[in-house]
Amino acid sequence: MKPQNTLYITDLDGTLLDACSQVSQRSAAIISELSRKGAMISVATARTPATVDRLLSHTYTTIPFITFTGATMWDRTSRRYIDPQLIGQPVRDRILAILAAEGIHPFIYTIAPDSIIHAYYSGPVNHAVRKFADERSRLELKRMHINTEKMPYGAEPILIFALGPLESLQRAASRLEASECCSFSCYPDIFNPANGYLEIFDHGVSKASAVRKLKAMTGAERLVVFGDNLNDLPMMREADVAVAVANAFPQVKESADVVIGPNTADSVALFIEKDTGIQL
């Protein structure tokens, strides 16, 4: 099958990104050259365009990115969002009530008309919250508001995000599941599994639905997906070839068609290069 008939979609953290949470120079060079020769390569990530743009600034690609765990795509050429799925105010209020009952204070993400992301947080500022906000405070496409500004009245979030002890987040996730009001993903931190993340979106949002949409947009006949964490499993089930990196969680490796080397060895880029058959 010709390379232009295959769409390659990779997760970022723990999959394409290396031990320093960067795209290595070698991976960037391979992906850039393959893209220039017609390969369709994209990413699907929980991250926002604000961080994805920076991480892939030295990597040439032509296909929109799946961001916000599938709640929207980002066209890096036109610098615009494609079909953002927003959380309506009644559902937002219901979600926030469930989180408040568990003592969880989330970040609430909105998108302004100029494509700038505004994330609002109101609650105790511990080390994890401060570190999370500080790491994102100087990004071109994002503004972090920590107990300083109220979210604009009537704003519809694209994401409600919480971090903290995994057990607490899982309790909230169970209540969200029972409410049937939204989509969510709750998963452990790859570096410290006692902690975790809870991402909440509009009903029906997932990496899986987004990869289906991107496959249709590109006209691809074959889909190859790479992942490492539990939130990658839905999109891996959509793939013709599901690939797990060696450092993936056991459940992810068990579900994969192929297990490759670790994220620290440029394994995703090398697999794509071999799979396309393109000579670099």
Side-chain angles (χ1 to χ4, degrees), residues 165-220:
L166 182 60
E167 185 177 347
S168 174
L169 299 178
Q170 287 174 331
R171 287 197 303 269
S174 295
R175 296 187 61 181
L176 290 170
E177 184 174 23
S179 76
E180 298 183 342
C181 68
C182 60
S183 295
F184 66 87
S185 180
C186 184
Y187 55 97
D189 185 328
I190 60 175
F191 301 109
N192 181 4
N195 292 328
Y197 306 99
L198 176 59
E199 304 162 351
I200 307 168
F201 303 96
D202 189 37
H203 187 73
V205 166
S206 70
K207 284 186 177 181
S209 62
V211 297
R212 288 195 299 269
K213 187 182 299 183
L214 189 55
K215 183 181 179 183
M217 286 173 55
T218 59

Side-chain angles (χ1 to χ4, degrees), residues 80-111:
R80 66 181 181 89
Y81 292 92
I82 301 173
D83 192 25
Q85 307 294 304
L86 304 179
I87 302 171
Q89 189 168 346
V91 175
R92 179 200 71 183
D93 293 344
R94 189 172 181 184
I95 292 168
L96 294 179
I98 289 172
L99 297 183
E102 295 293 339
I104 296 172
H105 300 272
F107 288 84
I108 302 175
Y109 284 71
T110 65
I111 300 175

Side-chain angles (χ1 to χ4, degrees), residues 33-181:
E33 189 61 21
L34 291 173
S35 295
R36 291 188 179 97
K37 293 189 174 184
M40 297 189 294
I41 305 171
S42 185
V43 303
T45 177
R47 290 178 179 264
T48 72
T51 53
V52 178
D53 256 11
R54 176 177 55 82
L55 288 167
L56 293 169
S57 61
H58 62 314
T59 307
Y60 175 78
T61 60
T62 61
I63 307 300
F65 298 148
I66 295 170
T67 58
F68 282 106
T69 311
T72 188
M73 295 185 202
W74 174 251
D75 186 324
R76 68 189 306 196
T77 302
S78 64
R79 299 184 70 75
R80 66 181 181 89
Y81 292 92
I82 301 173
D83 192 25
Q85 307 294 304
L86 304 179
I87 302 171
Q89 189 168 346
V91 175
R92 179 200 71 183
D93 293 344
R94 189 172 181 184
I95 292 168
L96 294 179
I98 289 172
L99 297 183
E102 295 293 339
I104 296 172
H105 300 272
F107 288 84
I108 302 175
Y109 284 71
T110 65
I111 300 175
D114 59 1
S115 294
I116 300 296
I117 300 162
H118 293 265
Y120 299 87
Y121 177 87
S122 179
V125 180
N126 57 27
H127 174 72
V129 168
R130 177 53 62 192
K131 181 174 183 291
F132 182 85
D134 286 348
E135 288 175 347
R136 291 155 177 81
S137 63
R138 296 178 180 84
L139 297 174
E140 178 187 358
L141 294 171
K142 184 181 289 184
R143 305 289 183 270
M144 305 299 291
H145 307 282
I146 307 298
N147 291 332
T148 56
E149 297 183 39
K150 291 185 177 180
M151 188 173 65
Y153 178 77
E156 294 186 337
I158 190 169
L159 164 67
I160 297 175
F161 171 82
L163 70 164
L166 182 60
E167 185 177 347
S168 174
L169 299 178
Q170 287 174 331
R171 287 197 303 269
S174 295
R175 296 187 61 181
L176 290 170
E177 184 174 23
S179 76
E180 298 183 342
C181 68

